[in-house]
Amino acid sequence: MRSIPWLAMTLVAGWVATGMAFDSAQWGDHFEQFTWAHSVEWGYHKHPPLPTWLLAAAIGVFGPSPAWPSVLAAACAIGNAGFTFAIARRLLGPGVAGLALLLWGLQQPFSARANLFNHNTVLMVAVSATAWCVLRALASERRARGWWLATGLAAGAAMLAKYQAVLPLAGIVLALALDGRLADLRVRRGLACAVLVAAALFAPHFAWMVEHRFGTLDYAMQHGQTLDGPGRAWNVVSFLAQQIRLVFPALLFAGLLALLPGPAADPERRAGEAAAAQTRRAWLTGLLVFPLLATVATGPLLGIALQNHWGYQALQFGALWLAWRVRRHAVVAGPAWIGLALLLHAVFLAVTVLPAANSGGSARIDSRYPAQALADAVRRDWKDSSLCPLSIVVGPSFEAGMVSVYGDGRARVLEDGDFTKSPWITPDQLLRMGATYISTSASRLPLAGATRVGSIDVGGVAPLGNSRIYWAIVPPETCAVDAGSGE
């Protein structure tokens, strides 16, 4: 049983490696991170900064590479697996923890999407780290202060990853209350210390939010757009249906185990198990029930559309509940349940890989883009037009990001031509350094000063069904200024 955590982590790494092998491009969210990583800021126009900082650090230390988002995604997923297993051991016991981890690995955010690096990826590992630090603080009297400090650091990281962190962090406090631990003065003091540390970490970003008129919060609230009554109801139904789809492999695994007979008597009924049962119920409520219900309630109460990826975190501890429910059936099955888990991993890996491996590609637009061909074609036209290095690409973060990432990775992206989205690029720099302009429509290209215009066939997989991507080369007049310096 001790090898199960390593087995589960190996499976997660295998999913990441498979995704990298069969996807010709990146997930769309990766290009946003690459676009923003050219400057370390306290915030970006859509989100808090932590995921972008991590990518910027990898690029700064090791150099640019299209592989960094997948590497970071793997690191987050494996770290998340380790924390989840540790939480399961403490709440469910070592025997059930291995089952919980294999169920966890069958949830699509940790399998088919294990190579996706975005704000949800970092949020989930930060939340699991926070929960683990709290459990360690409760169990350790001598080192409790250090663990509460670590709790604050992890909670602050969660808030710097995504504002949705408010829900699971509140759920952890709820778990402490339901377990009766908040009655202990030492716990309250430790929790207050953690809150202060998290607030200190978040404070610079909050100051940035104030300076930028809470634009990230406005984006999170969908710019004030609200759904009507029927729209809210349908959105909730659609959201829940999508969550079932995302966790279906884990549900299938648990369902197959549940078909096996289990012992009639519940061994938990011993007198000594009462306290453990209360703790387990409190934490499953705080980690799973509360975040899920609060997320679902967001739509009807605020009228904003629930996004499917909001369920990633809300259900990230769902495997713990499933494992506990089928634990007795796993005992009857013996080691066979490990083989069943491996079989289901293999089946769903094949289901994921086969569409991406054929000539038509998968359903995801970003996995079928001729990213390298686009970048190479733009680079050839730029070199034919100028001896200067390409320093700025102007256009959507998706297409313009491809030109940068699959070029040499050094060209900065002026997202949508909007200086407020990419404030590290100034109008003066754009004029002095020249740029390549990318668009899904030839009519939107600036032709003034352009020395070359080109396009590439993308097979009708571009956004809105476009079949070509267009670019215009506007080179600088001279190379007297070092274009790579940004000065």
Side-chain angles (χ1 to χ4, degrees):
M1 292 296 180
R2 293 181 180 179
S3 63
I4 291 176
W6 296 107
L7 172 63
M9 294 180 190
T10 301
L11 289 171
V12 170
W15 278 98
V16 174
T18 303
M20 294 175 67
F22 285 94
D23 279 356
S24 61
Q26 310 267 351
W27 291 84
D29 286 351
H30 291 180
F31 293 110
E32 280 191 338
Q33 299 304 322
F34 274 117
T35 295
W36 300 337
H38 284 284
S39 181
V40 177
E41 307 284 335
W42 276 111
Y44 300 89
H45 71 95
K46 285 185 178 180
H47 291 296
L50 182 56
T52 308
W53 288 353
L54 296 177
L55 179 58
I59 293 172
V61 173
F62 300 105
S65 170
W68 287 131
S70 292
V71 172
L72 291 171
C76 288
I78 291 173
N80 198 355
F83 286 123
T84 301
F85 179 74
I87 293 168
R89 276 181 61 91
R90 191 161 293 271
L91 296 179
L92 311 180
V96 184
L99 173 61
L101 193 58
L102 285 178
L103 280 162
W104 174 90
L106 283 168
Q107 294 179 232
Q108 289 192 45
F110 313 119
S111 55
R113 303 186 181 188
N115 64 327
L116 169 60
F117 179 73
N118 62 11
H119 293 265
N120 296 301
T121 311
V122 180
L123 168 65
M124 289 186 290
V125 69
V127 166
S128 60
T130 304
W132 169 238
C133 288
V134 172
L135 288 170
R136 288 302 304 268
L138 297 175
S140 175
E141 293 186 5
R142 294 179 57 186
R143 299 181 179 178
R145 183 177 300 177
W147 283 112
W148 284 117
L149 174 61
T151 297
L153 294 174
M159 287 298 300
L160 287 174
K162 197 172 184 181
Y163 302 144
Q164 186 185 351
V166 169
L167 297 182
L169 295 180
I172 291 174
V173 176
L174 176 63
L176 291 172
L178 293 176
D179 196 23
R181 302 306 295 266
L182 286 183
D184 188 331
L185 178 60
R186 291 172 298 179
V187 172
R188 294 200 302 272
R189 286 176 175 173
L191 183 61
C193 173
V195 170
L196 289 175
V197 171
L201 282 179
F202 189 73
H205 174 66
F206 183 79
W208 179 92
M209 291 173 63
V210 173
E211 181 182 354
H212 290 80
R213 300 181 180 181
F214 296 95
T216 49
L217 191 59
D218 187 42
Y219 173 80
M221 299 298 292
Q222 301 176 8
H223 307 288
Q225 299 176 1
T226 58
L227 300 173
D228 58 16
R232 298 182 190 191
W234 173 249
N235 181 239
V236 169
V237 172
S238 175
F239 174 80
L240 292 175
Q242 287 296 327
Q243 303 318 305
I244 293 174
R245 181 180 68 84
L246 290 172
V247 301
F248 176 74
L251 291 175
L252 178 60
F253 181 22
L256 292 174
L257 281 180
L259 294 177
L260 299 174
D266 189 348
E268 186 192 53
R269 291 185 178 179
R270 294 173 299 185
E273 291 292 322
Q278 176 183 338
T279 297
R280 182 171 52 254
R281 284 193 297 269
W283 279 91
L284 287 178
T285 299
L287 294 178
L288 175 62
V289 178
F290 174 78
L292 179 59
L293 292 181
T295 300
V296 172
T298 299
L301 292 178
L302 301 181
I304 62 178
L306 298 173
Q307 304 299 307
N308 292 331
H309 54 260
W310 292 357
Y312 288 11
Q313 189 290 309
L315 290 171
Q316 78 172 90
F317 296 106
L320 275 64
W321 179 81
L322 281 175
W324 185 252
R325 298 299 301 175
V326 299
R327 67 194 185 284
R328 289 177 291 157
H329 303 279
V331 171
V332 174
W337 61 265
I338 300 176
L340 178 60
L342 292 175
L343 175 62
L344 288 178
H345 268 282
V347 169
F348 284 99
L349 182 64
V351 170
T352 302
V353 165
L354 289 178
N358 65 32
S359 58
S362 71
R364 287 198 296 110
I365 288 175
D366 41 318
S367 69
R368 292 184 283 155
Y369 243 82
Q372 191 65 61
L374 172 63
D376 290 344
V378 169
R379 287 280 172 175
R380 285 193 297 269
D381 277 5
W382 178 268
K383 290 181 179 180
D384 288 343
S385 302
S386 175
L387 297 176
C388 305
L390 175 60
S391 299
I392 300 175
V393 184
V394 183
S397 61
F398 187 51
E399 288 83 3
M402 286 182 185
V403 174
S404 172
V405 172
Y406 286 90
D408 61 8
R410 303 186 187 280
R412 295 173 294 165
V413 174
L414 178 56
E415 188 174 352
D416 298 324
D418 188 342
F419 293 101
T420 63
K421 292 182 179 180
S422 306
W424 45 90
I425 300 175
T426 66
D428 178 65
Q429 288 176 340
L430 184 63
L431 288 175
R432 288 189 291 109
M433 297 178 178
T436 293
Y437 293 80
I438 306 292
S439 179
T440 57
S441 171
S443 62
R444 297 175 186 169
L445 291 175
L447 299 181
T451 59
R452 187 180 291 267
V453 176
S455 67
I456 188 173
D457 184 4
V458 294
V461 299
L464 305 179
N466 302 89
S467 60
R468 301 193 74 82
I469 297 298
Y470 302 86
W471 62 86
I473 305 296
V474 181
E477 294 181 359
T478 66
C479 290
V481 178
D482 179 8
S485 68
E487 297 295 327

